[in-house]
Amino acid sequence: MSKQPSSHLRVLGRLAVAASLVALAAQSAWAGGLDSLEQFVKGTRSGKAAFTQVVTAPAKDGQAPRARTQSGTFEFQRPGKFRFVYAKPFEQTIVADGKTLWLHDVDLNQVTSRPQDQVLGSTPAAIVAAAPDLKALEKDFTLSEEPDADGQQWVKAVPKSRDGQLQSIRVGFKPGAQGAELGTLEILDSFGQRSVLTFTGFEVNAAVPASHFSFVPPKGVDVLKQ
């Protein structure tokens, strides 16, 4: 009579099967950068996070590159609404309400407004807060996957129009309980300046009050329309 496996071996067998299923599920959910990008633009209707932005200017005359660091909070709601609040070292607020892009510079006591549809087409905002799917993004960008790095999956977006000031955008996604989470934005402009925004505490489909995407210029500020 053949011996039945011990209860200990049966438990180990079940654990091995469970581990294999978990690994397969993780691979399916975390299949590639473009998949993560599509998952993000389709499934993340709103979000909020803290961010740190490091802007590095190209080196000049053999000098080391100059870098400055800013920090603040970010909120968005599709389609096309977002709010950046820079708290340090200078106070600035950028709000897109769906029609107008507002920039409030507290130190300059100045507000600049621009029609949103004229300025957001080939920008990081189109990727993060405006586009409904990859097809919409592919109208303005050439998209390609890049190797995983820093625990993130990466997509490179190159604007098809060469009239703007952007050379390329790299977007890094982290795996999250509710799907792909925005981790990093790397922006390279035509002057060689690089901006890297690192997001922390990202909340997928967060409840963000509609009032956060409404902007009224404070009394006494200069308002410039462009």
Side-chain angles (χ1 to χ4, degrees):
M1 181 181 294
S2 60
K3 293 183 179 181
Q4 295 295 322
S6 69
S7 60
H8 179 66
L9 291 177
R10 288 198 297 270
V11 170
L12 289 178
R14 293 192 189 102
L15 289 175
V17 171
S20 298
L21 291 173
V22 169
L24 287 171
Q27 290 174 5
S28 176
W30 198 233
L34 288 173
D35 290 332
S36 294
L37 174 59
E38 184 166 32
Q39 184 183 99
F40 179 78
V41 297
K42 281 188 174 181
T44 306
R45 308 312 302 169
S46 64
K48 61 182 180 180
F51 72 88
T52 299
Q53 178 175 349
V54 179
V55 180
T56 306
K60 293 183 179 180
D61 301 326
Q63 299 177 356
R66 295 171 298 159
R68 67 179 187 273
T69 301
Q70 301 167 284
S71 61
T73 58
F74 167 64
E75 299 170 302
F76 77 94
Q77 185 179 75
R78 295 185 189 277
K81 296 181 180 181
F82 60 86
R83 181 185 186 93
F84 278 95
V85 177
Y86 288 83
K88 297 179 180 179
F90 306 108
E91 291 185 43
Q92 285 186 330
T93 300
I94 303 171
V95 177
D97 61 16
K99 294 181 179 180
T100 303
L101 180 68
W102 301 90
L103 168 60
H104 179 205
D105 191 309
V106 175
D107 288 346
L108 295 178
N109 196 36
Q110 179 177 289
V111 169
T112 303
S113 69
R114 301 177 182 177
Q116 190 169 315
D117 59 0
Q118 296 180 14
V119 293
L120 296 188
S122 298
T123 69
I127 298 174
V128 174
D133 52 38
L134 285 189
K135 288 185 178 180
L137 283 175
E138 287 171 343
K139 293 179 181 179
D140 294 311
F141 296 97
T142 299
L143 303 174
S144 60
E145 289 187 358
E146 295 205 330
D148 294 3
D150 303 322
Q152 299 177 82
Q153 292 191 323
W154 293 87
V155 173
K156 185 175 183 179
V158 177
K160 292 183 176 179
S161 172
R162 309 309 296 173
D163 297 335
Q165 296 183 353
L166 288 180
Q167 280 194 39
S168 64
I169 304 163
R170 294 180 72 237
V171 192
F173 295 100
K174 300 176 181 178
Q178 299 185 56
E181 296 180 2
L182 181 64
T184 307
L185 274 176
E186 294 187 6
I187 306 160
L188 180 64
D189 69 21
S190 57
F191 302 103
Q193 179 172 269
R194 186 180 301 275
S195 298
V196 180
L197 290 89
T198 304
F199 298 90
T200 56
F202 193 93
E203 295 184 34
V204 175
N205 293 324
V208 183
S211 60
H212 287 199
F213 307 112
S214 177
F215 183 83
V216 177
K219 292 183 178 180
V221 303
D222 294 327
V223 180
L224 305 177
K225 294 185 178 181
Q226 298 184 352

